[in-house]
Amino acid sequence: MKDTAHDLSANAKTAVVEGLHNALADVTVATKKAQFYHWNVTGMAFGSLHALFEEIYTDHFAAQDEMAERIRALGDFTEGSFAQALERSDIEEAKNVIPAEKMVEDMAEAQEMISGSLKTLAETATKQGDDLTEDLAIGRAQAHEKFAWMLRAHLG
């Protein structure tokens, strides 16, 4: 069982790092989106959504660091610009204030997309024998699925 960055082949590292970059980009875009929604949400559910969006971006900020550090442990450098994250991610940035219900729908969709990219990463890591990245990806996928559920619960 290969469970350290040192034990992985160059090809395995390349495959895993590519998946990590993709997942990191998704989380980066979603972090900023959650912060934007946190700042701009209005309506009857303001309090609960304001707090939930803050919980999401706080969680995501820490997740970005965890993924970036894994990329570094595998010997690559992280991409640092928001433009690079937007290029890699299928999640679109929030540019306009929208009604609270649309914010919730959009953020739930983003969480589901992140969970999907993390599941793909977990599969890649498994195939490449990288147990540590597999574990990271599975744990993060679970967190994003939970956020998606919490957001969808607001929609009834």
Side-chain angles (χ1 to χ4, degrees):
M1 180 185 308
K2 297 176 186 172
D3 62 0
T4 67
H6 179 73
D7 293 334
L8 299 175
S9 71
N11 287 341
K13 286 181 187 180
T14 298
V16 171
V17 165
E18 183 66 17
L20 279 161
H21 280 299
N22 291 336
L24 177 58
D26 285 346
V27 174
T28 298
V29 176
T31 302
K32 188 61 181 167
K33 182 181 291 225
Q35 193 173 39
F36 179 77
Y37 289 165
H38 166 78
W39 290 333
N40 292 297
V41 69
T42 60
M44 293 297 294
F46 167 81
S48 62
L49 291 178
H50 184 73
L52 180 55
F53 290 139
E54 182 175 12
E55 181 182 349
I56 291 170
Y57 77 70
T58 300
D59 168 85
H60 289 21
F61 188 78
Q64 288 176 70
D65 193 54
E66 187 176 16
M67 285 185 267
E69 288 177 355
R70 185 64 187 151
I71 290 168
R72 293 295 298 130
L74 291 169
D76 203 3
F77 290 98
T78 62
E79 297 171 349
S81 76
F82 194 63
Q84 288 170 310
L86 287 169
E87 243 178 72
R88 266 193 189 270
S89 182
D90 290 329
I91 298 171
E92 293 187 21
E93 70 179 316
K95 295 180 182 179
N96 302 301
V97 176
I98 56 178
E101 184 174 335
K102 294 293 182 193
M103 289 178 179
V104 171
E105 290 171 358
D106 186 46
M107 185 54 66
E109 182 178 306
Q111 296 304 307
E112 291 161 354
M113 291 171 73
I114 296 167
S115 183
S117 70
L118 285 161
K119 288 175 187 175
T120 299
L121 172 59
E123 291 168 6
T124 300
T126 299
K127 183 178 176 183
Q128 300 303 328
D130 183 351
D131 299 337
L132 298 178
T133 301
E134 176 189 15
D135 185 59
L136 182 154
I138 290 169
R140 289 306 315 159
Q142 290 172 333
H144 294 284
E145 281 188 357
K146 183 176 179 181
F147 281 129
W149 160 68
M150 293 171 75
L151 288 155
R152 295 256 182 239
H154 277 81
L155 298 174

